[in-house]
Amino acid sequence: MPHDDRCIGVFDSGIGGLTVVREMRRRLPNERIVYFGDTARVPYGIKSPKVVTLFSRQIVDFLLRFDPKMIVVACNTASAAALPELEKQFDLPLVGVVKPGAREAVRAANGRPIAVIATEATINSDAYRRAIHSLLPRVPVHQRACPLFVGAVEEGRDSDDRVVAALAEDYVAPLRGLDPAVLVLGCTHYPLLKTAIARAIGSEVLLVDSAEQTAETVHAELNARGALTASPAAGNLTCYVSDNPQRFREIGQRFLGHPVVDVTWVSLDELVVADAHAPA
Ligand code: DGL
């Protein structure tokens, strides 16, 4: 059987991408993962596509040092704003979170309206709508930015918190009137608020988790390329962050579902030096 024992690179604007890593480790327990969280420059969700693309390119350059067989853009905002550009510049398989989420939404909605919640930058990019319409033109797509959810999760608030319930009522409940069949959780942090979001949208609306769908896509792509690892040993997770490794360890556990052990700080200077693809 062809195989590839090299690592998979994963990156996010910060800690949220660990929800994608969590699903990847569930489906691909023997793979080695090298994760980069840009904790010095988070959030990306309020930044321009130009800046998100610049940061993403620097991170991909950094991850190339580990000779990955694939890079997963675990951040919805970076997938929405930067992935097409990254695909032009880098010659290795890149998987984002938008297309897998859109594909599952179209499948599950069966022609009925689809709602998407995400950061401001992801909604403004219209990437989910475009990805959905490339699969099923004309299906109604309703999008809503929910910027304060990210801060609420990072503060440790969960679905039982009254602030989260109020935010969900304000952001999500109005979508109910548009009668969606499916609601896409188009941000790394939203899976942690699934219960509150489900309460606000109603039990008849199916929630699509981009993190789960992305892990499935990573598995399918590696399998199709004969690039799954053949290692019988359990895989591992090595993390690099651009600021505050201690906070990443503490909060990361909630995103990953178990302690985050191996976290190293990388200075932004080092990242910028790694940016071999910067325009001259
Ligand atoms: N990781 C981002 C996303 O999925 C959320 C946090 C941020 O705004 O950077 O869009």
Side-chain angles (χ1 to χ4, degrees):
M1 276 280 278
H3 64 272
D4 189 336
D5 293 334
R6 290 179 301 159
C7 69
I8 304 172
V10 180
F11 79 90
D12 177 52
S13 56
I15 218 155
L18 291 177
T19 53
V20 177
V21 170
R22 177 186 191 147
E23 297 301 329
M24 284 173 63
R25 286 175 66 83
R26 227 198 288 272
R27 279 168 187 70
L28 300 156
N30 296 352
E31 297 290 344
R32 283 186 303 117
I33 296 175
V34 177
Y35 180 93
F36 184 88
D38 199 1
T39 46
R41 301 186 289 193
V42 69
Y44 283 11
I46 50 167
K47 292 188 170 66
S48 68
K50 200 171 157 189
V51 163
V52 173
T53 304
L54 170 73
F55 291 173
S56 302
R57 207 180 52 221
Q58 291 170 345
I59 296 168
V60 172
D61 262 328
F62 173 79
L63 286 172
L64 289 180
R65 297 178 188 183
F66 301 93
D67 188 27
K69 56 187 169 187
M70 169 183 278
I71 289 183
V72 178
V73 185
C75 178
N76 284 260
T77 304
S79 297
L83 188 54
E85 204 48 46
L86 297 177
E87 281 171 338
K88 276 190 219 151
Q89 291 188 10
F90 294 95
D91 188 22
L92 88 165
L94 289 154
V95 172
V97 286
V98 171
K99 277 190 194 152
R103 202 178 307 124
E104 177 57 14
V106 167
R107 193 200 62 73
N110 209 4
R112 292 191 42 220
I114 295 171
V116 180
I117 53 173
T119 64
E120 264 173 65
T122 299
I123 298 299
N124 290 342
S125 76
D126 221 17
Y128 270 102
R129 190 199 307 273
R130 280 185 280 113
I132 290 167
H133 281 169
S134 74
L135 300 166
L136 187 64
R138 286 187 294 277
V139 65
V141 178
H142 306 292
Q143 305 188 82
R144 177 81 157 101
C146 307
L148 295 173
F149 274 162
V150 168
V153 171
E154 298 228 350
E155 259 195 331
R157 296 178 191 269
D158 61 17
S159 283
D160 296 324
D161 182 275
R162 63 192 165 80
V163 173
V164 169
L167 289 176
E169 205 42 43
D170 197 63
Y171 288 145
V172 180
L175 292 167
R176 215 173 174 153
L178 301 165
D179 196 27
V182 164
L183 174 64
V184 180
L185 306 180
C187 172
T188 47
H189 289 56
Y190 301 175
L192 276 86
L193 303 179
K194 234 179 209 169
T195 309
I197 292 169
R199 266 188 225 124
I201 194 76
S203 56
E204 60 294 348
V205 179
L206 185 84
L207 301 190
V208 167
D209 182 340
S210 291
E212 277 172 21
Q213 301 310 320
T214 302
E216 298 233 343
T217 301
V218 170
H219 183 272
E221 290 259 328
L222 289 177
N223 196 23
R225 292 169 187 271
L228 288 163
T229 183
S231 163
N236 56 24
L237 171 65
T238 310
C239 297
Y240 294 87
V241 294
S242 51
D243 197 12
N244 217 337
Q246 186 51 32
R247 183 174 189 271
F248 187 88
R249 268 186 218 104
E250 281 162 21
I251 304 183
Q253 174 153 4
R254 266 192 295 125
F255 288 76
L256 193 61
H258 60 81
V260 192
V261 196
D262 188 359
V263 188
T264 305
W265 174 68
V266 178
S267 85
L268 285 177
D269 279 349
E270 215 182 305
L271 266 197
V272 176
V273 169
D275 190 2
H277 287 78

